[in-house]
Amino acid sequence: MNAVEMRGITKRFPGIVANDQVHLSVNQGEIHALLGENGAGKSTLMNILFGLYQPDEGEIFIREKPVKITGPTKAAALGIGMVHQHFMLVEPFTVTENIILGAEPTSRGCIDRHRAEREVREISEKYGLRVDPTARIRDISVGMQQRVEILKTLYRGAEVLIFDEPTAVLSPQEIDELMEIMENLVREGKTIIFITHKLKEIMRICDTVTVIRRGKTIGSTSVKGTSEQELASMMVGREVSFSVNKQESRPGKTVLKVQSLTVKDSRGVEAVRGLDLEVRAGEIVGLAGVDGNGQSELLEAITGLRKAHAGDILLNGEAITRLQPRAIARRGVGHIPEDRQKRGLVLDFSIGENMVLQTYDQTPFAKGFLLRYPEIFRHAKRLIEDFDVRTPDEQTHARALSGGNQQKAIIAREVDRDPDLLIAAQPTRGLDVGAIEFIHRRLVEQRDKGKAVLLMSLELDEILKLSDRIAVMYGGRIAGWLNPKTTNEEEIGLLMAGGKVGEEVAQG
Amino acid sequence: MKHLEQIHNQSAWLTSLISVLLGMLVGAGMMLAAGYDPLLAYGALFQNAIFQPYDLGETIRTITPLILTGLAVGLAFRTGLFNIGVEGQMIIGSLAAAIVGLKFSLPPVLHSAAAVAAAAVAGALWAFIPGLLKAVRGVHEVITTIMMNFIALNLSNWLVRTWLSNGADSTDKIKESASLRWDLLSQWFDNSRIHLGIMIALLAAYGMYVLLWKTTYGFELRAVGYNPHASEYAGMNVKRSILSSMMISGMFAGLAGACQLLGTSGYLSIRGGFEGIGFDGIAVALLGANAPIGILLAAVLFGVLTYGGGNMQFAADVPFEVIRVVFAAIILFVAANLSQSIFSRARGMRREPHA
């Protein structure tokens, strides 16, 4: 039986057709992947199923019955629940309070806390979610918060759960746990629609996959009969290479030297504790580690965004420890920040303005105090072409671009400044294979030009593929150095979790 | 003029325009409900605001400080700050202008220039305090600027009674040499109280446009306003931007105070409460979408409504309060952005595409 069937769905927005005669049929009790690049129309389709948008054409059937989904309330009544990518939780509230919000069980006009807690606990145990109903949201990890979102939909009686890129925010361990939970859900008869562009995850857990490209259904196939390679070319519409073509590295002189660096986080706790690190010209050093082990603080200290508490940071032999971000950038540090929308771009500025975010007061972009917009836009035009940033023009606001193109714009800006040291923090987070391929190529290109690259990533795949040396961070220190050619995910994982590994490559 | 379009995108224009029309409709509805003839009333309003040289002059005089307070609020908004202290900064501007106008003796043009400059500096300094608290300690500027309004009001009143007059309710007239009135200009407008402040206001509007959209410093101010995190990442000095944006905002407010004192009243008197021109600046900036040209147009509209509204009372016997209702309704419509949803529904879409 089909749990969900969407037939001939068309949704137009001014200027674009987001969904064009899209078909999707999801069997009862399966995990169905919805695969597509950013901007392919996956979210639009799911928002239609969740009642946020009304389709211009097409029909929707839930358990073989035609329905009209007029809003999220209607969707919930039909047993459709959505686990959003960005959580919608009230931070100071407890898990239970968040779950019952809007559907509070009452007794004599008051909220029946005990009943609510008991119910939440029951559901949590049934599906192996292991959530403490009395914990406050702000005290629990991102992975736990996601489970609260899952619980929320289950509490409201969801039979079909839509997961919108659920693994984007999770660590490798949390991803494993999420997969287990998804399997439990299916075993108990739920149906899951899994929006993603990570092929590995599809191969690992899904039964069927529907591929969408540029608003059209490309095809639907059983996962057993397909391969990552085939899915990737269905998604992108051309052959995609997974391996990064790169030569043996020829490391030169030391570009970045970090000596017994200590950095405190925003709460005043030491996040980096006496860390040593060296990155040489012509090599990519991969910085692996579970999120929250001081990687972000380390990179912020190097780029001047956070004060170093103790220790030294040398760039080309010169101390940059106490310099302002602007001075550090001008000495030759490029930075692709972890959070592109928060740090990397001013979303309400045009692409042109974003391309000169650090250099707007230098020639040729300024003459004295005055900006020279013709130069700024000419510069942007060149970068947009060189880096294949898909945008209507250079005057379009950054907000209007897809995530992948926003990231390309940042990379264009940073690489074009031709820095001696390029720091790339999670450069491909949330991007599709096409964009990832492009960005990886650019990073290797920088290395081959004799630049030093420091790559921080939570994706072990990426670290293994690109790095010439791997530094694993744990508890604010480098727990060990590994050679990507001889190591494997298990070994890195062990170091990431604080274990010891026998064979280590000496630093330097 | 492609650049101007960028500052003022189409939807902002539409929102403002439709909000004005809806606001006036609400006013008309009120008048109908109260038994007045809205057509007659609005007719009287516009007729008495612009058709006679005297009225036109008086309307321009009403518009002048509104432009400046609108710019003050708008500039702060652009850099992510909500300056509710324009009222107080304006009072301090008036106070400084009065002191220079009363206590100094200078040749004519120089005297008024000095008084205007003093008002601008005083307004900027008054805004410096909340700016500093915000930049250094993170104290919310809404709280501090409101408090500073009351300090300004009482400081001004106290000085008027003790130092600037002999225990009277108001000071003497400022010296003729400090005045912004210009006989020739007044005569053109049938001896109305129009003064050179309008030139200051227009220059200030042009100055804001150049500063924000043409200079590197304005680039920083706007970047910080939109996204302080990215600005910090790009190596901009976020704290300095907050501070200077507050001060420029305060400077505009101070200039508004100078115009009121040196141009309109000519003396400083004890105030029972706030005049409200600073607060009206919030409405002007909101309607004008925080852009110089929009603020100019919004100030013109509010100026016409205010001055014409007074005359409407005589001509059509409609109480002035109706005009305040129209103000409020316009602002409500802008804030709720109701017009946009009406428009998008007409085109059969619900939200911006987010595919």
Side-chain angles (χ1 to χ4, degrees):
Chain A
M1 188 178 77
N2 281 335
V4 174
E5 189 176 358
M6 301 176 84
R7 272 189 218 157
I9 301 289
T10 297
K11 177 71 186 170
R12 294 181 200 92
F13 290 114
I16 53 162
V17 183
N19 284 162
D20 185 2
Q21 296 290 319
V22 172
H23 286 264
L24 174 73
S25 69
V26 181
N27 278 323
Q28 177 72 43
E30 71 167 351
I31 303 182
H32 192 110
L34 190 57
L35 175 67
E37 289 190 284
N38 288 315
K42 299 173 300 216
S43 299
T44 305
L45 188 66
M46 287 302 109
N47 283 333
I48 288 172
L49 184 56
F50 195 57
L52 290 172
Y53 294 144
Q54 298 306 311
D56 295 329
E57 289 164 32
E59 299 163 292
I60 302 173
F61 300 82
I62 302 293
R63 284 178 290 280
E64 316 273 344
K65 281 194 203 70
V67 291
K68 263 215 151 22
I69 304 175
T70 46
T73 326
K74 184 75 191 289
L78 289 165
I80 299 166
M82 189 146 170
V83 178
H84 294 274
Q85 191 177 359
H86 301 286
F87 305 149
M88 304 186 176
L89 298 170
V90 185
E91 297 245 318
F93 277 19
T94 66
V95 169
T96 305
E97 285 167 337
N98 266 284
I99 289 168
I100 62 173
L101 204 60
E104 300 88 351
T106 53
S107 84
R108 276 176 273 121
C110 296
I111 295 178
D112 190 344
R113 265 169 213 287
H114 294 289
R115 196 175 117 210
E117 240 160 61
R118 197 179 58 239
E119 283 174 0
V120 169
R121 203 179 300 273
E122 274 165 17
I123 304 173
S124 167
E125 273 162 21
K126 184 173 175 194
Y127 298 101
L129 290 164
R130 292 192 293 271
V131 173
D132 173 9
T134 58
R136 285 187 194 282
I137 296 298
R138 61 168 172 235
D139 298 331
I140 61 179
S141 70
V142 171
M144 276 294 170
Q145 291 182 10
Q146 187 173 56
R147 294 185 195 180
V148 176
E149 286 282 358
I150 299 172
L151 266 174
K152 235 160 91 176
T153 64
L154 294 172
Y155 183 83
R156 285 164 173 69
E159 287 302 318
V160 178
L161 284 85
I162 306 168
F163 282 82
D164 188 4
E165 302 197 9
T167 58
V169 291
L170 302 181
S171 71
Q173 281 84 352
E174 286 175 324
I175 291 176
D176 288 345
E177 288 165 16
L178 175 67
M179 303 258 149
E180 235 171 79
I181 291 167
M182 289 169 81
E183 277 164 354
N184 289 340
L185 286 169
V186 173
R187 200 171 303 130
E188 296 290 334
K190 306 287 182 193
T191 306
I192 294 177
I193 301 177
F194 183 23
I195 307 180
T196 186
H197 45 239
K198 291 187 184 164
L199 303 168
K200 272 217 161 71
E201 290 166 4
I202 294 178
M203 300 308 292
R204 182 166 153 196
I205 195 168
C206 296
D207 303 300
T208 318
V209 50
T210 297
V211 183
I212 295 183
R213 185 169 78 224
R214 294 204 183 135
K216 292 196 171 79
T217 313
I218 298 304
S220 201
T221 170
S222 142
V223 168
K224 281 201 192 73
T226 186
S227 68
E228 278 188 50
Q229 196 66 47
E230 191 186 347
L231 288 179
S233 33
M234 274 173 89
M235 169 163 78
V236 184
R238 61 179 165 83
E239 288 295 311
V240 178
S241 88
F242 279 120
S243 60
V244 179
N245 243 334
K246 63 176 189 156
Q247 315 278 314
E248 195 61 29
S249 77
R250 286 187 306 269
K253 66 179 174 62
T254 301
V255 173
L256 175 73
K257 196 176 175 109
V258 176
Q259 288 171 326
S260 35
L261 182 73
T262 299
V263 186
K264 291 185 174 174
D265 68 12
S266 335
R267 291 164 302 165
V269 180
E270 281 187 7
V272 178
R273 302 176 193 162
L275 176 137
D276 294 297
L277 177 76
E278 225 179 276
V279 186
R280 286 169 301 179
E283 71 168 353
I284 297 178
V285 168
L287 196 61
V290 178
D291 200 10
N293 273 280
Q295 302 98 310
S296 308
E297 286 79 7
L298 170 65
L299 298 191
E300 282 180 348
I302 297 173
T303 48
L305 291 169
R306 189 177 285 279
K307 275 201 185 73
H309 186 63
D312 286 306
I313 304 164
L314 303 174
L315 183 73
N316 291 323
E318 226 183 308
I320 55 165
T321 326
R322 312 222 180 293
L323 294 183
Q324 294 295 313
R326 172 73 43 94
I328 293 172
R330 295 219 164 134
R331 254 160 240 239
V333 177
H335 181 195
I336 299 161
E338 201 173 342
D339 189 334
R340 58 179 159 266
Q341 300 204 334
K342 185 178 158 201
R343 283 280 194 203
L345 295 167
V346 177
L347 292 176
D348 294 301
F349 266 12
S350 65
I351 291 298
E353 288 171 308
N354 271 296
M355 290 291 197
V356 294
L357 211 53
Q358 297 104 331
T359 48
Y360 60 90
D361 57 349
Q362 292 177 321
T363 42
F365 310 125
K367 194 174 179 187
F369 293 115
L370 294 181
L371 291 167
R372 293 164 75 186
Y373 270 100
E375 289 296 330
I376 291 173
F377 286 127
R378 191 172 310 147
H379 170 75
K381 224 176 203 153
R382 181 173 63 77
L383 290 184
I384 286 168
E385 260 169 46
D386 288 359
F387 286 80
D388 189 31
V389 182
R390 309 266 170 84
T391 166
D393 60 31
E394 62 279 2
Q395 312 217 356
T396 305
H397 282 193
R399 187 182 293 286
L401 269 55
S402 72
N405 284 305
Q406 289 178 348
Q407 188 72 342
K408 278 184 188 175
I410 294 173
I411 288 173
R413 180 181 72 208
E414 297 306 309
V415 168
D416 185 67
R417 290 197 292 121
D418 202 26
D420 292 339
L421 171 67
L422 181 63
I423 294 173
Q426 303 244 68
T428 59
R429 174 159 70 176
L431 304 189
D432 53 68
V433 280
I436 291 175
E437 187 192 13
F438 177 90
I439 286 163
H440 284 175
R441 232 180 318 121
R442 288 291 177 165
L443 291 179
V444 172
E445 217 173 86
Q446 280 304 104
R447 180 199 80 154
D448 291 344
K449 272 168 66 186
K451 308 293 182 186
V453 179
L454 179 58
L455 167 73
M456 189 273 260
S457 178
L458 300 176
E459 310 267 345
L460 292 186
D461 256 13
E462 183 165 70
I463 293 273
L464 279 166
K465 218 185 292 176
L466 290 176
S467 311
D468 297 307
R469 290 189 300 144
I470 299 172
V472 183
M473 244 182 122
Y474 176 75
R477 292 194 189 89
I478 304 290
W481 288 85
L482 297 166
N483 182 343
K485 288 203 200 72
T486 56
T487 189
N488 51 38
E489 294 205 10
E490 285 69 48
E491 211 173 25
I492 304 180
L494 199 62
L495 276 178
M496 279 167 69
K500 286 260 175 289
V501 171
E503 185 214 9
E504 291 180 19
V505 278
Q507 184 184 358
Chain B
M1 285 275 108
K2 193 165 187 185
H3 197 63
L4 274 182
E5 285 167 30
Q6 236 191 313
I7 301 169
H8 233 118
N9 57 37
Q10 234 179 340
S11 75
W13 279 115
L14 271 177
T15 301
S16 299
L17 202 67
I18 294 172
S19 301
V20 168
L21 293 177
L22 287 174
M24 296 191 66
L25 265 177
V26 167
M30 294 248 333
M31 287 187 239
L32 274 178
Y36 301 110
D37 180 353
L39 282 181
L40 187 71
Y42 280 132
L45 188 155
F46 285 107
Q47 206 167 9
N48 287 305
I50 38 184
F51 287 153
Q52 295 295 320
Y54 176 82
D55 290 326
L56 187 60
E58 284 293 309
T59 300
I60 293 174
R61 176 188 65 75
T62 315
I63 291 167
T64 303
L66 286 173
I67 295 175
L68 285 161
T69 55
L71 292 175
V73 176
L75 184 118
F77 258 137
R78 278 279 170 191
T79 45
L81 295 166
F82 196 3
N83 182 6
I84 308 191
V86 172
E87 187 78 31
Q89 290 142 21
M90 195 179 149
I91 292 173
I92 292 298
S94 283
L95 179 65
I99 292 171
V100 174
L102 287 166
K103 302 277 175 187
F104 288 69
S105 290
L106 290 164
V109 177
L110 201 63
H111 198 177
S112 46
V116 168
V121 170
L125 287 177
W126 203 251
F128 170 80
I129 300 167
L132 190 73
L133 286 169
K134 166 93 177 181
V136 177
R137 302 290 313 161
V139 186
H140 204 290
E141 74 277 8
V142 166
I143 310 291
T144 47
T145 51
I146 290 177
M147 296 304 167
M148 294 293 286
N149 282 343
F150 289 97
I151 302 176
L153 180 72
N154 290 302
L155 177 69
S156 170
N157 285 350
W158 177 65
L159 284 179
V160 166
R161 199 177 290 278
T162 55
W163 182 42
L164 297 173
S165 78
N166 291 321
D169 279 350
S170 64
T171 67
D172 291 337
K173 274 249 173 208
I174 51 159
K175 287 171 187 150
E176 195 60 33
S177 53
S179 173
L180 280 177
R181 297 264 184 91
W182 185 29
D183 289 342
L184 202 57
L185 188 68
S186 301
Q187 277 161 28
W188 286 342
F189 289 95
D190 228 356
N191 288 321
S192 72
R193 287 176 294 166
I194 186 173
H195 53 82
L196 291 169
I198 186 68
M199 303 311 292
I200 297 178
L202 292 175
L203 274 175
Y206 183 69
M208 169 169 161
Y209 165 68
V210 171
L211 174 73
L212 281 185
W213 283 279
K214 292 288 176 194
T215 70
T216 55
Y217 201 59
F219 187 89
E220 270 182 46
L221 292 179
R222 283 186 298 131
V224 169
Y226 281 132
N227 186 347
H229 302 288
S231 309
E232 188 193 12
Y233 153 86
M236 298 171 189
N237 190 332
V238 174
K239 287 179 177 173
R240 194 184 63 185
S241 289
I242 289 175
L243 202 54
S244 49
S245 136
M246 266 316 268
M247 287 180 70
I248 299 168
S249 170
M251 192 188 81
F252 286 148
L255 286 174
C259 291
Q260 283 303 83
L261 190 108
L262 302 173
T264 304
S265 68
Y267 58 88
L268 195 60
S269 50
I270 292 199
R271 297 162 208 251
F274 295 117
E275 226 177 333
I277 298 178
F279 297 124
D280 284 346
I282 299 171
V284 170
L286 201 61
L287 182 63
N290 304 320
I293 295 188
I295 289 172
L296 278 182
L297 294 176
V300 167
L301 177 80
F302 281 12
V304 166
L305 287 180
T306 305
Y307 181 74
N311 285 337
M312 180 180 77
Q313 206 161 354
F314 296 115
D317 201 28
V318 178
F320 181 72
E321 281 68 26
V322 169
I323 291 306
R324 301 303 297 188
V325 170
V326 172
F327 271 30
I330 291 175
I331 292 314
L332 265 170
F333 284 122
V334 175
N337 211 347
L338 210 61
S339 49
Q340 197 154 13
S341 68
I342 291 171
F343 238 78
S344 41
R345 193 148 312 163
R347 281 195 210 156
M349 57 181 179
R350 270 187 65 185
R351 252 193 248 171
E352 296 268 302
H354 196 76

